[in-house]
Amino acid sequence: MNRRESLKALGLIAAGTGILAGSCKTDNSKTAVADAADRIPGIQDFEYERTKALQEEKFFNEHEFATITVLADIIIPKDASSGSATDAGVPDFIEFIVKDLPDNKIPMRGGLKWLDVHSQKRYGQAFVNCKQQEQLAIVDDIAYPELARPEMQQGVAFFSLMRNLTSSGFYTSEIGVKAIGFKGNTPGVWTGVPDDVLKEHGFDPSKFFG
């Protein structure tokens, strides 16, 4: 199993057991919850106004958002079968979700700071300015909790949250839904009782269908 598949697998477990909350709708993606400007039937006025207000707020600064973008595409990069996390609008999803669920604000901001401090000590510069192989080396040290060194536990906790949010955002987007082959509610086609079932109950299919 390669890095993409293993990181995705860990994230999918979390996404399947956690809260798959709504996100912003960006120009290049369609996520689980549409932009506040697109009023969804059934949404109450207070929900609409709250979502609109959250979308107008800004939590992450430019550097933090750039770091989130790099991490998201390390977790779910573009491949032959689907687009990347950023193609699916995941950074915008994370920006929204930390405002919608503010308990995530301190862990995310603190984790991003930890990442830069660690990167500075290790490579002499912020994470986003590191070479790709250096970024991957750091990620490998915090992506697998059972293998991580004790001194990396803060990074492990941050990356677990980052991976969970990335997976939730990706697999509730149009790109992510297509990536797992989900087709939604589609009508079935009735072709009659299968021959083996008819035979099991003592019926000869040839007498019914020739």
Side-chain angles (χ1 to χ4, degrees):
M1 181 180 289
N2 60 30
R3 176 183 285 102
R4 175 190 172 107
E5 295 304 321
S6 59
L7 293 181
K8 280 171 58 180
L10 288 170
L12 274 171
I13 293 172
T17 58
I19 298 175
L20 298 181
S23 69
C24 304
K25 177 183 176 183
T26 60
D27 291 339
N28 63 349
S29 67
K30 293 181 180 179
T31 45
V33 176
D35 187 89
D38 299 326
R39 188 65 175 265
I40 302 173
I43 296 297
Q44 299 186 48
D45 289 344
F46 78 90
E47 295 173 313
Y48 171 80
E49 294 299 333
R50 180 176 182 275
T51 297
K52 184 177 179 180
L54 289 176
Q55 288 177 328
E56 291 173 351
E57 293 177 11
K58 187 69 175 176
F59 178 70
F60 294 115
N61 61 39
E62 184 176 345
H63 176 77
E64 291 170 332
F65 195 81
T67 305
I68 288 169
T69 299
V70 171
L71 284 170
D73 278 352
I74 288 175
I75 295 169
I76 304 182
K78 183 176 182 178
D79 65 10
S81 63
S82 72
S84 68
T86 56
D87 290 332
V90 166
D92 288 326
F93 171 89
I94 295 175
E95 164 71 24
F96 180 85
I97 215 68
V98 298
K99 296 177 295 189
D100 187 44
L101 301 174
D103 285 349
N104 291 310
K105 286 184 175 182
I106 292 177
M108 280 297 294
R109 176 154 283 162
L112 290 166
K113 184 65 175 178
W114 178 92
L115 188 67
D116 273 345
V117 170
H118 178 79
S119 179
Q120 187 71 39
K121 291 179 179 178
R122 188 166 175 177
Y123 297 115
Q125 55 191 341
F127 181 80
V128 292
N129 297 324
C130 289
K131 297 176 182 179
Q132 184 180 41
Q133 60 265 33
E134 294 171 340
Q135 293 172 343
L136 294 178
I138 293 174
V139 167
D140 283 344
D141 284 344
I142 60 178
Y144 309 99
E146 68 281 3
L147 302 177
R149 300 189 302 274
E151 66 270 22
M152 305 294 282
Q153 289 309 306
Q154 184 178 350
V156 169
F158 162 66
F159 191 78
S160 294
L161 175 59
M162 179 68 203
R163 177 172 48 218
N164 295 350
L165 293 175
T166 298
S167 298
S168 295
F170 185 79
Y171 289 107
T172 53
S173 72
E174 183 177 7
I175 290 175
V177 167
K178 288 181 179 179
I180 59 176
F182 180 70
K183 298 181 180 180
N185 295 325
T186 56
V189 178
W190 171 249
T191 58
V193 180
D195 288 353
D196 58 335
V197 174
L198 288 172
K199 290 178 180 179
E200 182 180 347
H201 292 278
F203 295 99
D204 183 356
S206 63
K207 293 182 179 180
F208 293 93
F209 309 109

